[in-house]
Amino acid sequence: MTATATKTQGGGTLPAAPRPRGGIVQSVNDSLVVARRNLIRMMRIPEVVVFGLIQPIMFVVLFSYVFGGSIAVGGSTSPSDYREYLMAGIFAQTVTFATAGAGAGIADDMHKGLIDRFRSLPMARGAVLTGRTLADLVQTALTLVVLSLVALIVGWRTHENAGKVLAGFALLLLLGYAFSWIGAVIGLSVRTPEAATSGGLVWLFPLTFISNAFVPSDNMPTVLRHIAEWNPFSATVQAARELFGNLPPGYKAPDAWPMQHPILASVIWSVLIIAFFRTLAVRKYRSAAA
């Protein structure tokens, strides 16, 4: 920010008023400041991160050892094949379930009046939401690192080069970032953090289970199969499996376009979700500030 002093009629000067910088520069800087504030807050409340890790770790262990060997993928019932098939779905579920945390965090800030304090400052309107989603992205990335180590312990392996593996994780994080904007809209639309948590989870369960995350979509009823094949969640899971080299021997992808071109479909879905829900979230933020 730069300051401009204003002269009074008596020859004195008023205190310097902040003058905003260019729109993009100010927005980026303000977003990073808010993101830093949220990351510091997360570090001071480590139990939030710890408890956020428990559920995906439980899913890894339960699905690997309880269902492994009883679910056929690509004609194989090998526990190791299913474990490798499963992990991309667990990773995607983890990044999307962070939506509930994003919504609850924004709702909590609204409830405590922190958002009103931000509104009184000469900062970009979308910076509060962008900073929050960026902080959530960092937390999601750390969660994926820990979850990957757990997956390696239970026997998960990748079979592609490091570049493809990193690209797979990048697509997962892009999906998580896209869904965090859905969480932002939910957080701005409810009155309490509890409602934001419930609202952030109630639609995620059908989204993740009517997909190819845990079982192939081939044996689903026709309507559910088509929903699963065009589900943005399924596209990212399929793309991650391809990039990780985790498709089982004999596996044949469904004929639906997103399943035949999952990497491109994953990017398109995530970008569209970000564009739509970020615009909606910023409008809600502005209307609430009016």
Side-chain angles (χ1 to χ4, degrees):
M1 305 293 296
T2 57
T4 303
T6 304
K7 291 185 177 181
T8 64
Q9 292 182 349
T13 58
L14 293 173
R19 186 180 62 193
R21 294 182 296 265
I24 296 179
V25 174
Q26 181 187 6
S27 181
V28 171
N29 184 70
D30 292 344
S31 298
L32 293 177
V33 170
V34 175
R36 181 174 178 271
R37 172 257 174 190
N38 282 285
L39 288 173
I40 293 174
R41 182 186 181 189
M42 291 175 187
M43 292 172 61
R44 291 176 177 174
I45 315 176
E47 56 267 27
V48 174
V49 179
V50 173
F51 287 126
L53 286 170
I54 293 176
Q55 179 177 300
I57 290 175
M58 288 176 61
F59 270 105
V60 170
V61 175
L62 290 175
F63 274 85
S64 296
Y65 293 108
V66 175
F67 297 108
S70 60
I71 298 178
V73 286
S76 171
T77 56
S78 167
S80 61
D81 286 343
Y82 179 69
R83 194 173 296 122
E84 293 191 351
Y85 177 88
L86 169 71
M87 285 315 305
I90 295 292
F91 291 152
Q93 184 190 56
T94 300
V95 300
T96 53
F97 271 39
T99 300
I106 290 175
D108 186 51
D109 287 343
M110 291 279 290
H111 184 68
K112 293 179 178 178
L114 184 63
I115 297 295
D116 291 330
R117 297 176 197 171
F118 282 133
R119 289 171 183 159
S120 67
L121 299 175
M123 61 190 302
R125 287 294 192 187
V128 174
L129 303 178
T130 302
R132 175 76 207 195
T133 55
L134 287 175
D136 290 331
L137 180 64
V138 173
Q139 181 180 356
T140 301
L142 294 175
T143 302
L144 275 183
V145 171
V146 175
L147 196 58
S148 299
L149 295 177
V150 175
L152 290 171
I153 293 173
V154 301
W156 173 67
R157 297 293 183 270
T158 58
H159 305 284
E160 295 289 353
N161 59 57
K164 287 187 175 182
V165 173
L166 291 176
F169 281 113
L171 287 180
L172 290 167
L173 290 174
L174 180 63
L175 180 71
Y177 183 68
F179 274 55
S180 69
W181 281 106
I182 301 178
V185 172
I186 294 173
L188 290 167
S189 303
V190 299
R191 297 181 180 180
T192 64
E194 293 79 10
T197 301
S198 300
L201 289 175
V202 68
W203 59 275
L204 280 174
F205 279 102
L207 182 80
T208 55
F209 280 94
I210 305 177
S211 72
N212 60 358
F214 307 111
V215 296
S217 60
D218 303 343
N219 297 326
M220 293 181 181
T222 303
V223 174
L224 293 184
R225 185 175 73 248
H226 289 313
I227 294 175
E229 290 170 353
W230 285 89
N231 186 342
F233 184 84
S234 294
T236 300
V237 171
Q238 185 76 1
R241 285 189 182 124
E242 286 192 6
L243 292 169
F244 294 157
N246 286 161
L247 292 175
Y251 176 82
K252 184 178 182 298
D255 294 331
W257 186 86
M259 297 296 98
Q260 292 292 324
H261 308 86
I263 297 175
L264 178 59
S266 174
V267 173
I268 291 175
W269 273 120
S270 294
V271 170
L272 288 176
I273 291 171
I274 292 171
F276 178 80
F277 282 97
R278 187 185 188 281
T279 301
L280 184 59
V282 173
R283 284 181 179 177
K284 276 188 168 292
Y285 180 85
R286 287 175 175 171
S287 64

